[in-house]
């Protein structure tokens, strides 16, 4: 089973197009030791040619160009993307669906009923796609019920609910419920090895703890270094927790949580443009390394 990181940044990418914070300006000017990143997405395959795209980033075209395995060139019009799984309905995880509208077949999309409701109402991408390739919706339950994808042999997907809110445009933004945001266990049914993918994670609840305890690879929310990072950088007032993300440093932070799982490969993903761990020779990155944790980069590949 191969897991390929297509994009490792949070919404807006890094550097963000309109941001001149310390890290964005330092990346753009070359003043800081950083690497640019596209917006959060991964792809999973059992044969290296047929892939499940997990979240459709606005940067999907660039990601496909940078990862030729997703365009195997077997015929005049071709793609390695067999299906798309959506973990939520956030703009940075679904807008890439519009770029896939030239598909020769109806797009097989797996998501919860809550996400489907948002994508046919507040942000009606599914409705728009019906004028192009069309969508074949496959419901996934936010209770750990496993599912498989035709053509992706030997891989099982196990989605579970995370505590979070629907997007700001959602008709049920003020009434969060299971299915608005999912975590995902990706299991190799041949070897039994599994990975946890949770790019948006604000609360460590029992399902998350169980998934971390059994995973050999943990790809987990790395959005901010501190809870008040947005105000520290002068770009906003919301706390990380208010945005549905667990900060990394300090008591109760993600590094402390990950310290309980030393046998897994632990990787921070979905990194906000303000996060100082993006500075490769900075003290925050050194603290991450000292904890035995990695910082995701676009193009990384894991085999389980």
């Amino acid at each position: 089973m191969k897991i390929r990181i297509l994009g490792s940044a949070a919404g807006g990418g890094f550097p963000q197009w309109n941001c001149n914070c310390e890290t964005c300006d330092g990346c753009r000017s070359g003043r800081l030791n950083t690497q640019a990143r596209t917006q959060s997405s991964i792809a999973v395959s059992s044969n290296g040619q047929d892939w499940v795209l997990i979240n459709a980033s606005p940067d999907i075209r660039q990601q496909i160009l940078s990862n030729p395995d997703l365009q195997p060139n077997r015929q005049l019009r071709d793609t390695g993307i067999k299906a798309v799984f959506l973990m939520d309905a956030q703009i940075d995880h679904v807008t890439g669906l519009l770029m896939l509208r030239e598909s020769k077949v109806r797009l097989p999309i797996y998501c919860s009923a809550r996400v489907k409701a948002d994508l046919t109402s507040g942000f009606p991408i599914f409705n728009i796609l019906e004028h192009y390739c069309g969508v074949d919706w496959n419901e996934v339950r936010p209770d750990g019920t496993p599912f498989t994808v035709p053509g992706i042999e030997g891989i099982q997907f196990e989605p579970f609910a995370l505590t979070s809110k629907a997007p700001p445009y959602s008709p049920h933004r003020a009434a969060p419920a299971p299915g608005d945001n999912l975590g995902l266990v990706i299991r190799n049914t041949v070897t039994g090895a599994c990975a946890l993918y949770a790019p948006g994670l604000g609360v460590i609840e029992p399902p998350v703890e169980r998934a971390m305890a059994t995973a050999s690879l943990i790809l987990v929310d790395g959005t901010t270094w501190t809870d008040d990072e947005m105000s520290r950088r002068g770009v906003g007032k919301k706390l990380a927790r208010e945005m549905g993300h667990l900060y990394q440093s300090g008591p109760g932070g993600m590094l402390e949580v990950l310290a309980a799982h030393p046998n897994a490969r632990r990787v921070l993903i979905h990194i906000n443009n303000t996060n100082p761990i993006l500075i490769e020779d900075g003290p925050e990155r050194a603290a991450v390394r000292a904890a035995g944790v990695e910082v995701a980069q676009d193009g990384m590949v894991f085999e389980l």
Side-chain angles (χ1 to χ4, degrees):
M1 180 172 76
K2 292 185 177 182
I3 299 176
R4 181 179 290 273
I5 296 180
L6 305 181
S8 54
F14 177 67
Q16 183 172 304
W17 68 279
N18 66 339
C19 187
N20 294 302
C21 72
E22 172 69 9
T23 42
C24 285
D25 178 70
C27 178
R28 213 176 269 118
S29 66
R31 177 173 51 82
L32 295 177
N33 183 12
T34 61
Q35 293 190 39
R37 288 164 165 82
T38 61
Q39 295 171 82
S40 177
S41 179
I42 66 172
V44 182
S45 177
S46 56
N47 62 9
Q49 281 198 324
D50 300 301
W51 298 83
V52 176
L53 179 65
I54 301 180
N55 292 332
S57 158
D59 298 320
I60 184 61
R61 180 180 180 277
Q62 179 181 341
Q63 292 168 348
I64 292 172
L65 290 173
S66 299
N67 296 275
D69 287 355
L70 272 67
Q71 220 304 11
N73 192 22
R74 297 164 295 195
Q75 52 188 309
L76 184 61
R77 291 285 182 97
D78 196 18
T79 178
I81 299 172
K82 299 289 286 186
V84 183
F85 173 78
L86 302 176
M87 305 189 73
D88 53 48
Q90 298 289 346
I91 284 176
D92 53 319
H93 287 163
V94 303
T95 310
L97 293 174
L98 296 174
M99 303 299 105
L100 302 179
R101 66 189 182 277
E102 294 96 350
S103 175
K104 289 175 58 180
V105 300
R106 294 177 65 83
L107 274 179
I109 297 181
Y110 293 75
C111 66
S112 71
R114 297 279 290 186
V115 168
K116 177 178 182 284
D118 284 339
L119 298 182
T120 53
S121 58
F123 189 23
I125 285 183
F126 282 11
N127 305 357
I128 294 169
L129 288 175
E130 286 302 328
H131 296 280
Y132 297 92
C133 61
V135 169
D136 281 339
W137 175 56
N138 299 268
E139 182 178 5
V140 300
R141 298 178 180 178
D143 59 3
T145 300
F147 70 92
T148 57
V149 174
I152 307 295
E153 304 299 329
I155 299 179
Q156 181 172 280
F157 301 90
E158 302 163 18
F160 59 93
L162 300 177
T163 296
S164 188
K165 292 182 178 180
Y169 64 78
S170 170
H172 54 263
R173 167 76 168 180
D180 287 333
N181 190 9
L182 300 176
L184 185 65
V185 172
I186 308 165
R187 189 177 305 278
N188 182 331
T189 60
V190 177
T191 67
C194 66
L196 167 64
Y197 183 50
L201 179 57
V203 183
I204 306 299
E205 297 175 304
V208 177
E209 293 176 339
R210 289 193 294 269
M212 285 185 173
T214 59
S216 51
L217 171 65
I218 299 173
L219 297 167
V220 72
D221 193 328
T223 307
T224 68
W225 180 248
T226 61
D227 197 23
D228 61 349
E229 183 170 300
M230 303 301 284
S231 60
R232 286 192 185 199
R233 295 289 187 172
V235 297
K237 297 180 179 179
K238 286 187 176 180
L239 299 175
R241 288 171 295 169
E242 294 173 332
M243 298 185 292
H245 299 287
L246 178 61
Y247 50 90
Q248 287 131 45
S249 61
M254 190 64 78
L255 291 184
E256 184 175 276
V257 170
L258 292 176
H261 307 283
N263 295 325
R265 188 170 180 181
R266 298 157 295 170
V267 184
L268 298 173
I269 198 166
H270 192 272
I271 304 156
N272 202 55
N273 64 88
T274 56
N275 194 329
I277 67 172
L278 291 165
I279 305 170
E280 300 193 18
D281 51 1
E284 294 84 3
R285 177 66 75 90
V288 172
R289 282 195 297 268
V293 177
E294 301 172 63
V295 175
Q297 296 178 182
D298 294 13
M300 291 176 77
V301 179
F302 307 93
E303 296 194 14
L304 299 179

